[in-house]
Amino acid sequence: MIFNVRDKNPLLPDRPLIDVGAAVVLEPMLLAGTILGVFMNVTFPGWLITLLLAILLSYATFRSGRKGLRLFRTETKERRAAQEAQQERIVELAEQGSSNNPAESSDTTEAESSSSSPPMDPKKTNLNNCSKKTAAQSSKSVLLLWCGLLSSFFPFPRWTRWDSKYDRH
């Protein structure tokens, strides 16, 4: 937090990157959840904690996957619409160019066809970059949590004699 105190929001340059009001509202609930989690960890048996974590991670994976699929469909529709609009512009320029000067029209259509998509609004680009970064970070977090959960089901074998010698008390 100390490193990001002076940073500005990339979408709203007049606002800070860290929303202190939101942190003040969320921090008591975070501490209450930590206390409750420690109490549950001490009280419940290990298999129940593992089962509850599996349920929680399944739910988080389902929601993340559903949101990712929804974003993929939306972006695909937008990309198709942009490609169709670009094709229409190329056809219009080709028709205009063929009536005016054939040599100039071929240069124009080549320039138009070389660009893959129309220029985007900078605000929209920043939003897309932020959402992609957040999606990548959340998928890494979910993967890391699943690896931790699986390691609790399948513990690592003891390969060394040193471990087995000192475990027999």
Side-chain angles (χ1 to χ4, degrees):
M1 183 171 161
I2 293 172
F3 293 116
N4 295 325
V5 167
R6 293 185 179 173
D7 291 344
K8 297 294 181 184
N9 189 331
L11 302 177
L12 304 168
D14 59 331
R15 300 187 80 189
L17 182 63
I18 298 173
D19 186 3
V20 179
V24 168
V25 170
L26 294 175
E27 190 64 28
M29 292 311 229
L30 180 67
L31 292 173
T34 303
I35 292 169
L36 182 66
V38 169
F39 177 73
M40 289 172 60
N41 193 23
V42 171
T43 307
F44 295 158
W47 63 268
L48 184 60
I49 297 292
T50 305
L51 179 69
L52 291 173
L53 283 174
I55 291 170
L56 177 69
L57 289 175
S58 298
Y59 177 70
T61 303
F62 172 74
R63 284 189 53 154
S64 297
R66 187 175 60 183
K67 184 174 181 178
L69 189 62
R70 189 179 313 134
L71 285 172
F72 174 75
R73 288 178 182 162
T74 304
E75 288 175 359
T76 304
K77 286 179 186 178
E78 289 175 358
R79 189 176 298 129
R80 283 183 188 156
Q83 287 175 349
E84 288 174 3
Q86 183 179 7
Q87 289 295 331
E88 290 175 8
R89 281 185 288 196
I90 290 172
V91 169
E92 288 174 8
L93 288 174
E95 289 174 357
Q96 290 174 0
S98 64
S99 63
N100 294 339
N101 188 353
E104 290 179 7
S105 66
S106 62
D107 293 338
T108 310
T109 54
E110 288 175 12
E112 283 291 322
S113 62
S114 66
S115 65
S116 60
S117 63
M120 295 182 70
D121 183 24
K123 290 181 182 177
K124 197 171 190 180
T125 304
N126 285 340
L127 283 174
N128 288 339
N129 290 339
C130 290
S131 66
K132 287 179 186 174
K133 188 184 293 184
T134 305
Q137 289 173 348
S138 66
S139 63
K140 287 178 187 176
S141 300
V142 169
L143 180 65
L144 183 65
L145 289 172
W146 271 111
C147 289
L149 181 67
L150 288 177
S151 69
S152 68
F153 278 120
F154 306 106
F156 294 108
R158 296 190 175 148
W159 291 307
T160 62
R161 293 175 56 179
W162 186 82
D163 288 336
S164 60
K165 183 170 83 173
Y166 288 104
D167 283 344
R168 298 181 191 167
H169 286 278

